[in-house]
Amino acid sequence: MGKGKIIIVSAPSGTGKSTIIKQLMEKEELQLRFSVSATNRSPREGETDGLSYHFLSTEEFKKRIADDAFVEYEEVYPGRFYGTLKSEVSRVLQQGNNLILDIDVKGGINVKKQYPEALSLFILPPSIETLRQRLLARATDDIETINQRVAKADFELTFADKYDVRVVNDDLPKAIDETYNIVKEFIDKR
Ligand code: 5GP
């Protein structure tokens, strides 16, 4: 059975990253499987434990750090931990499927270092102001969280040129198309 490939996707929150990833995962020919990260944040409405994330208590998360269960983990927001589990990576790749990771910039760069053959993809918003508007419209977070995320986005954008490829999400269907073509080419390459 062929060994799968790794696709790392990073983007500031509110950039349309989750939507783009979801659309890609529906394309059967890409054989993508989502790397379900662990986190100690609480589930949002519509999120399912074991599918969106493995939702852990802070104590459980720290136990996994001590057990060396992570490929990488980061404190993405103060007190909020996210990590890629070794078990997720090996399970998917051994099945011969391709693994898609939705992780923050530090995690993305870290994984790319450990797996140089991986494709790293950065999705950019047209501007910081557009991003703020999108986060406000999504209305899943309070204003303080949104301000935190916008400040973080500003910082994250400085990492964009460290990724293999960049896609600007100006127009969602176009961004999905563009991302699909990049990923398809990467997967088809022997
Ligand atoms: P959210 O709370 O909106 O689901 O995710 C917040 C941020 O954490 C996003 O940028 C997401 O990509 C990142 N993230 C999710 N899982 C992981 C992970 O396993 N490792 C790292 N480093 N970041 C992650």
Side-chain angles (χ1 to χ4, degrees):
M1 200 181 278
K3 199 169 174 289
K5 295 189 177 182
I6 299 177
I7 296 116
I8 303 160
V9 184
S10 297
S13 105
T15 311
K17 176 181 54 173
S18 314
T19 310
I20 293 174
I21 291 177
K22 218 159 135 205
Q23 292 287 321
L24 289 186
M25 290 194 59
E26 283 173 10
K27 307 284 184 190
E28 275 177 33
E29 69 276 17
L30 297 180
Q31 280 189 275
L32 293 175
R33 300 293 179 274
F34 189 65
S35 166
V36 182
S37 296
T39 182
N40 70 339
R41 83 151 161 75
S42 3
R44 293 196 190 111
E45 212 173 300
E47 288 182 331
T48 312
D49 187 36
L51 282 181
S52 321
Y53 284 105
H54 298 287
F55 293 103
L56 306 178
S57 67
T58 304
E59 207 169 302
E60 288 167 325
F61 197 100
K62 293 198 164 149
K63 166 101 172 56
R64 282 180 180 61
I65 298 174
D67 291 344
D68 197 24
F70 290 113
V71 173
E72 62 78 35
Y73 69 90
E74 296 288 341
E75 186 176 356
V76 177
Y77 301 103
R80 290 286 161 255
F81 292 88
Y82 298 82
T84 306
L85 293 159
K86 287 181 179 172
S87 52
E88 288 287 319
V89 177
S90 54
R91 176 178 59 84
V92 172
L93 296 184
Q94 274 164 20
Q95 286 167 348
N97 290 313
N98 301 308
L99 182 74
I100 187 158
L101 299 109
D102 171 349
I103 62 180
D104 89 316
V105 288
K106 286 189 193 157
I109 288 161
N110 188 346
V111 172
K112 175 74 184 179
K113 266 194 196 130
Q114 296 184 57
Y115 300 93
E117 71 282 10
L119 172 73
S120 65
L121 202 149
F122 197 98
I123 301 167
L124 295 122
S127 72
I128 282 284
E129 192 40 41
T130 326
L131 185 73
R132 184 193 300 279
Q133 294 306 329
R134 283 183 191 169
L135 286 173
L136 284 167
R138 187 166 80 175
T140 47
D141 298 306
D142 56 41
I143 198 76
E144 194 188 326
T145 308
I146 290 175
N147 286 338
Q148 240 181 43
R149 282 177 188 244
V150 170
K152 190 174 168 63
D154 228 359
F155 167 75
E156 287 175 324
L157 288 174
T158 66
F159 288 85
D161 61 357
K162 294 201 162 42
Y163 281 66
D164 296 327
V165 277
R166 285 149 292 282
V167 172
V168 178
N169 182 9
D170 207 345
D171 173 69
L172 186 61
K174 236 179 76 194
I176 291 168
D177 252 26
E178 202 180 323
T179 311
Y180 173 84
N181 290 333
I182 293 164
V183 171
K184 179 85 167 69
E185 193 191 335
F186 172 70
I187 285 170
D188 287 346
K189 205 168 54 192
R190 281 291 110 201

